Amino acid sequence: MDIAVALVPSLLFGALSLLLGAFPTDTRRQNTAVMVGAGAVSLGCAALLGAPWSLSATIWGAACGLMWTGGQVFVLRAFRAWGVSRTMPLTTALQLLLNATLGVSLFGEWRAPGSLALGAGALVLIMLGAAGCSWQERAGPGPTAAQRRDGLLATAASAVLYGSYPSLLRAVHVPSAHAVGPMGLGLLAGALLCALILPRRASLRGPRIAPALLAGGLWAIGNVLMLRSTAAVGVASGFTLSQLGFVLATVGGLTILGEKRTGRERAVVAVGIVAAVVGLVLMGTATSMDAGMSPSRQTVPGKGPEAV
């Protein structure tokens, strides 16, 4: 049962991406609505959880909510530039790479015998898999060279913002469960900033605002369920399972959203998905080895659109 619950966040995170890709609307309207949905549901979940709101958790949690806002703005830009099926595997891989690098360099992770080599091998597989999912033949259909460049830059920026705030919470010793409510405040502040700063090409009220609100709410629910699953089945297993949402987003982008790929590109995507999933399993194993050596170490799960 715990494993089944641990898989739910990956389904929600994958569905979120497809929902935003399937119902595009004005950039300012969509970003603002996503933040409002995520912030409101985060506050509601925090009230149900009854987690304490210390001054430190409020300050740093709100800051992390603003960071997630920036990540979401860039990921939506990447969706528009080169599609969901190219953005999601790459941003997932880059976030994992960033978190692993910070974990090893700042928090002394992967110190158990063999865990560093296993984790490094896992990252190589994940990065190769992501590259395969994003690969495009020169003569193939899809985004232009300029769009690919814009999509790559936006994806990288989203990964930095999504992937760094969990390590920030860990560095300032704020438990991720305590940051859920304050993050809601940061997300609502981010919604206000999106409404004020992003180009005003259309009114905030308009078509397709409901799917964006729903997408934000799905992220908040998935985030809370991920926290529960990491407590039930362990950080390594819970977090690894939550990252499988990129598979749904990639396959759904090709089938549901109709993002065009050649036959060769589809074959490479399939191999890339397998490589990335194997890499995720190996990364979870490396983290489990490390946790077994130091069971008292607290680990804050982190990753992108998907984590607190």
Side-chain angles (χ1 to χ4, degrees):
M1 184 63 181
D2 287 333
I3 296 297
V5 173
L7 283 169
V8 174
S10 67
L11 297 176
L12 294 178
F13 296 151
L16 178 160
S17 302
L18 295 177
L19 195 61
L20 293 176
F23 298 98
T25 184
D26 175 70
T27 300
R28 174 169 165 261
R29 179 187 302 141
Q30 192 171 36
N31 277 295
T32 302
V34 170
M35 304 314 157
V36 169
V41 175
S42 291
L43 288 173
C45 290
L48 293 175
L49 292 173
W53 284 45
S54 66
L55 179 61
S56 178
T58 301
I59 293 173
W60 293 110
C64 289
L66 290 172
M67 293 173 70
W68 194 88
T69 297
Q72 184 62 33
V73 170
F74 279 113
V75 89
L76 279 175
R77 178 168 179 170
F79 285 176
R80 295 170 187 270
W82 68 347
V84 173
S85 64
R86 287 186 170 90
T87 300
M88 290 311 297
L90 189 57
T91 190
T92 299
L94 291 174
Q95 288 174 60
L96 289 167
L97 176 63
L98 176 61
N99 274 289
T101 302
L102 293 174
V104 170
S105 60
L106 298 181
F107 305 117
E109 293 184 349
W110 292 355
R111 296 298 174 88
S115 63
L116 181 59
L118 186 61
L123 285 173
V124 170
L125 281 174
I126 292 170
M127 295 306 299
L128 289 175
C133 291
S134 301
W135 176 67
Q136 179 179 342
E137 290 189 90
R138 285 189 176 183
T144 64
Q147 289 173 324
R148 292 197 299 272
R149 183 171 57 252
D150 189 25
L152 178 60
L153 292 174
T155 301
S158 74
V160 170
L161 291 167
Y162 278 151
S164 56
Y165 73 77
S167 293
L168 173 61
L169 287 177
R170 187 173 177 185
V172 297
H173 307 292
V174 173
S176 51
H178 294 188
V180 171
M183 274 196 74
L185 296 179
L187 290 164
L188 292 178
L192 179 60
L193 289 175
C194 287
L196 294 175
I197 295 175
L198 293 179
R200 301 189 178 192
R201 299 187 179 95
S203 170
L204 284 177
R205 293 184 179 181
R208 298 187 170 183
I209 194 171
L213 287 168
L214 177 59
L218 288 179
W219 173 82
I221 295 171
N223 187 52
V224 171
L225 289 176
M226 188 189 70
L227 294 177
R228 180 200 178 281
S229 67
T230 55
V233 302
V235 171
S237 298
F239 181 60
T240 299
L241 291 172
S242 75
Q243 304 315 301
L244 295 176
F246 86 91
V247 176
L248 176 61
T250 303
V251 175
L254 297 176
T255 57
I256 299 173
L257 302 184
E259 296 177 359
K260 295 182 179 180
R261 300 289 186 98
T262 65
R264 182 178 297 178
E265 287 173 353
R266 287 177 177 269
V268 174
V269 166
V271 174
I273 288 174
V274 172
V277 170
V278 171
L280 277 169
V281 173
L282 293 179
M283 178 174 284
T285 303
T287 307
S288 296
M289 293 166 60
D290 203 46
M293 184 183 71
S294 305
S296 62
R297 182 187 301 161
Q298 180 187 12
T299 304
V300 176
K303 169 155 167 16
E306 296 99 347
V308 159

